[in-house]
């Protein structure tokens, strides 16, 4: 009877679903605005030529790695603020939020400087030709001053999610995305700045978003009794709590960078196709990550309030949502795979390499949907140490598959098949963890 009831409840709308949707829907529209910036850059730069698109592929891989490594600023803020908010400790929640902002400023300044200094060597390692390397170097140099803005957006957005303010990040990211498209069209094709214009337009849009979000967080911090001034202990605490999530994210970014490096060995056209495929996968990942954001926020709140059963129920429902969104994403990608390449470039060699790769990616999406959900739940629970070790194990399983595809010259589809193995390995590690109770620590 219990099994029958569970299967019946699988398709029954309940309170848990309402909570998930209330967080996931605005998070979805905010999240998809971020990869839309990359998609807009890809489409606009793609009209310049294959070498320019290849340069964007290299530069965006480096930038996504730098910023992606710092996603703990968002995830850590969401988990910490949500748990304290759920426990009724509002001032402590915003003390943690402002500590994250100051950490983002300092870390962004350091990383921006390092990126500018290392732009040419990085482009040389990942580029498939001297022309591609030149475009990649240009994009990285122009983008480097915007790194602090990118990190501030992460920290501020995470803090606002923790107190269930999903509307502000949504409005800000939509406005920033529209501004990005307008500036890119103006600077790339209107003024004729090419790749440099694309980087400059995106950098300006990112600074507008960052300043807007920071003002909102600081106003709410003062209303809660938090000074908003830099506190060494708070910044150190935010940094210490973020170390496991940094390690976890480093393994994910290493896998994506490895994929780009292997794709570069196939030639300019496969590398350009890989950039398009990566942009689409990033878009789908951010879309499905809306359920993971619900996992982070609601798990932190329910654990902070001491509700273990509520946490379990939300986790079960979010897994169901993960499967559904993954299936939908896969079907959509499969449907557009024959024509989507023409949206970005007219080069037939790029189209030929792209289609089989996208078919493989589409098949992986249901697995990815569950992976994102479980990852979000465990991040919301503050289970970063386990996620870090699991990430290392998964990377160790993926790297030989990707390198084998490169050494055999197997082609882009086989490289993305290795990515499917990567996601499957992540699913195994996350599923085993959520079945236990070690991650369910109750209270503030």
């Amino acid at each position: 009877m219990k099994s029958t009831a569970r299967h019946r409840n699988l398709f029954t709308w309940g309170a848990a679903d309402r909570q998930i949707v209330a967080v996931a829907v605005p998070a979805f529209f905010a999240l998809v605005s971020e990869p839309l910036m990359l998609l807009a850059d890809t489409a606009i730069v793609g009209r310049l030529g294959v070498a320019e698109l290849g340069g964007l592929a290299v530069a965006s891989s480096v930038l996504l790695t730098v910023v992606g490594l710092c996603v703990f600023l968002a995830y850590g803020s969401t988990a910490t603020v949500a748990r304290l908010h759920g426990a009724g400790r509002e001032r402590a929640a915003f003390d943690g939020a402002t500590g994250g902002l100051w950490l983002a400023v300092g870390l962004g300044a350091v990383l921006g400087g390092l990126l500018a200094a290392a732009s040419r060597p990085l482009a040389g390692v990942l580029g498939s030709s001297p022309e591609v390397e030149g475009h990649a170097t240009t994009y990285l140099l122009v983008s480097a001053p915007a790194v602090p803005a990118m990190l501030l957006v992460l920290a501020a957005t995470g803090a606002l999610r923790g107190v269930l303010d999903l509307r502000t990040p949504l409005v800000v990211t939509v406005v920033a995305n529209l501004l990005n498209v307008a500036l890119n069209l103006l600077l790339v094709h209107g003024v004729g700045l090419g790749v440099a214009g694309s980087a400059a337009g995106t950098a300006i849009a990112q600074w507008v978003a960052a300043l807007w979000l920071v003002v909102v967080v600081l106003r709410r911090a003062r209303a809660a009794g938090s000074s908003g001034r830099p506190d060494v202990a708070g910044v150190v605490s935010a940094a210490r709590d973020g170390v496991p999530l940094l390690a976890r994210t480093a393994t994910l970014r290493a896998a994506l960078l490895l994929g780009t490096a292997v794709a570069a060995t196939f030639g300019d056209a496969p590398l350009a196709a890989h950039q398009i495929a990566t942009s689409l996968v990033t878009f789908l990942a951010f879309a499905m990550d809306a359920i993971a954001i619900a996992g982070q926020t609601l798990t932190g709140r329910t654990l902070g309030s001491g509700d273990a059963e509520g946490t379990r129920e939300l986790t079960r429902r979010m897994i169901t949502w993960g499967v559904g969104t993954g299936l939908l994403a896969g079907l959509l990608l499969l449907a557009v795979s024959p024509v989507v390449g023409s949206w970005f470039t007219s080069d037939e060699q790029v189209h030929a390499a792209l289609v089989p790769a996208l078919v493989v990616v589409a098949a992986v999406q249901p697995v990815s949907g569950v992976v994102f959900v479980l990852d979000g739940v465990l991040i919301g629970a503050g289970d970063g140490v386990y996620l870090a070790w699991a990430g290392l194990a998964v990377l160790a399983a993926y790297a030989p598959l990707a390198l084998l595809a490169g050494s055999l010259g197997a082609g882009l589809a086989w490289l993305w098949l290795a990515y499917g193995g990567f996601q499957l390995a992540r699913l195994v590690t996350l599923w085993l963890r959520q079945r236990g109770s070690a991650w369910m620590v109750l209270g503030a």
Side-chain angles (χ1 to χ4, degrees):
M1 291 296 291
K2 184 180 292 187
S3 177
T4 302
R6 181 174 295 178
H7 282 87
R8 184 173 62 249
N9 290 337
L10 189 67
F11 303 101
T12 303
W13 186 272
D17 299 286
R18 287 190 291 272
Q19 292 181 67
I20 293 167
V21 169
V23 176
V25 170
F28 166 78
F29 287 106
L31 285 165
V32 297
S33 289
E34 297 178 39
L36 278 174
M37 284 193 183
L38 178 57
L39 283 173
D41 288 356
T42 302
I44 293 169
V45 172
R47 298 299 173 183
L48 297 174
V50 172
E52 287 84 353
L53 188 57
L56 177 62
V58 172
S60 62
S61 293
V62 174
L63 283 168
L64 287 172
T65 298
V66 172
V67 178
L69 285 173
C70 298
V71 75
F72 71 87
L73 291 166
Y75 293 168
S77 290
T78 298
T80 299
V81 173
R83 186 179 285 266
L84 290 168
H85 185 63
R89 297 176 58 185
E90 202 72 9
R91 177 174 177 175
F94 277 100
D95 284 342
T98 53
L101 293 180
W102 286 107
L103 177 61
V105 171
L107 190 58
V110 172
L111 290 177
L114 291 175
L115 180 63
S119 58
R120 190 172 299 278
L122 287 171
V125 170
L126 296 174
S128 57
S129 69
E131 191 176 2
V132 167
E133 292 170 18
H135 291 306
T137 301
T138 298
Y139 197 99
L140 289 173
L141 284 172
V142 177
S143 299
V147 172
M150 301 177 201
L151 302 196
L152 280 169
V153 168
L154 290 176
T157 299
L160 292 173
R161 287 172 183 161
V163 294
L164 291 180
D165 180 359
L166 284 301
R167 181 181 179 277
T168 300
L170 170 60
V171 173
V172 171
T173 52
V174 168
V175 170
N177 187 63
L178 293 174
L179 179 62
N180 173 67
V181 173
L183 288 172
N184 269 256
L185 287 172
L186 173 65
L187 297 176
V188 174
H189 296 295
V191 181
L193 295 180
V195 170
S198 176
T202 302
I204 293 170
Q206 287 163 337
W207 269 112
V208 169
L211 295 174
W212 188 345
L213 287 168
V214 167
V215 168
V216 172
V217 172
L218 291 180
R219 283 178 176 173
R220 297 203 51 172
R222 292 193 183 96
S226 176
S227 67
R229 292 190 296 270
D231 175 68
V232 175
V235 175
V236 170
S237 176
R240 184 181 62 247
D241 292 344
V243 169
L245 288 178
L246 173 62
R248 163 259 182 202
T249 305
T251 62
L252 302 181
R253 300 313 311 177
L256 293 177
L257 265 183
L258 178 60
T260 300
V262 171
T265 66
F266 298 149
D268 283 3
L271 179 60
H274 183 73
Q275 164 63 11
I276 296 172
T278 301
S279 298
L280 291 169
V281 168
T282 302
F283 176 81
L284 293 174
F286 274 87
M288 291 187 291
D289 208 31
I291 310 299
I293 296 301
Q296 293 175 29
T297 304
L298 298 176
T299 298
R301 285 174 59 83
T302 53
L303 290 178
S305 63
D307 185 3
E309 183 53 39
T311 303
R312 284 289 186 195
E313 174 61 19
L314 283 167
T315 301
R316 286 192 292 267
R317 295 304 298 174
M318 283 185 285
I319 290 172
T320 303
W321 278 87
V323 173
T325 54
L327 283 170
L328 179 60
L331 290 173
L332 288 173
L333 188 57
L334 192 62
V336 302
S337 60
V339 298
V340 70
S342 63
W343 302 350
F344 300 96
T345 178
S346 58
D347 190 279
E348 292 298 329
Q349 288 184 308
V350 175
H351 297 170
L354 179 63
V355 174
L358 291 183
V359 171
V360 175
V361 173
V364 176
Q365 294 311 299
V367 173
S368 297
V370 180
V371 165
F372 291 131
V373 164
L374 294 179
D375 196 48
V377 167
L378 295 180
I379 289 173
D383 200 23
V385 174
Y386 176 82
L387 292 173
W389 285 110
L392 288 172
V394 170
L395 179 61
Y398 166 71
L401 296 176
L403 293 173
L404 181 62
S407 64
L408 296 176
L412 207 57
W414 284 95
L415 178 60
W416 281 99
L417 188 62
Y419 166 80
F422 171 74
Q423 289 293 74
L424 188 60
R426 290 185 69 195
L427 176 63
V428 171
T429 60
L430 295 170
W431 188 268
L432 291 175
R433 183 63 166 180
Q434 69 87 26
R435 285 176 61 87
S437 59
W439 58 278
M440 294 187 66
V441 179
L442 303 179

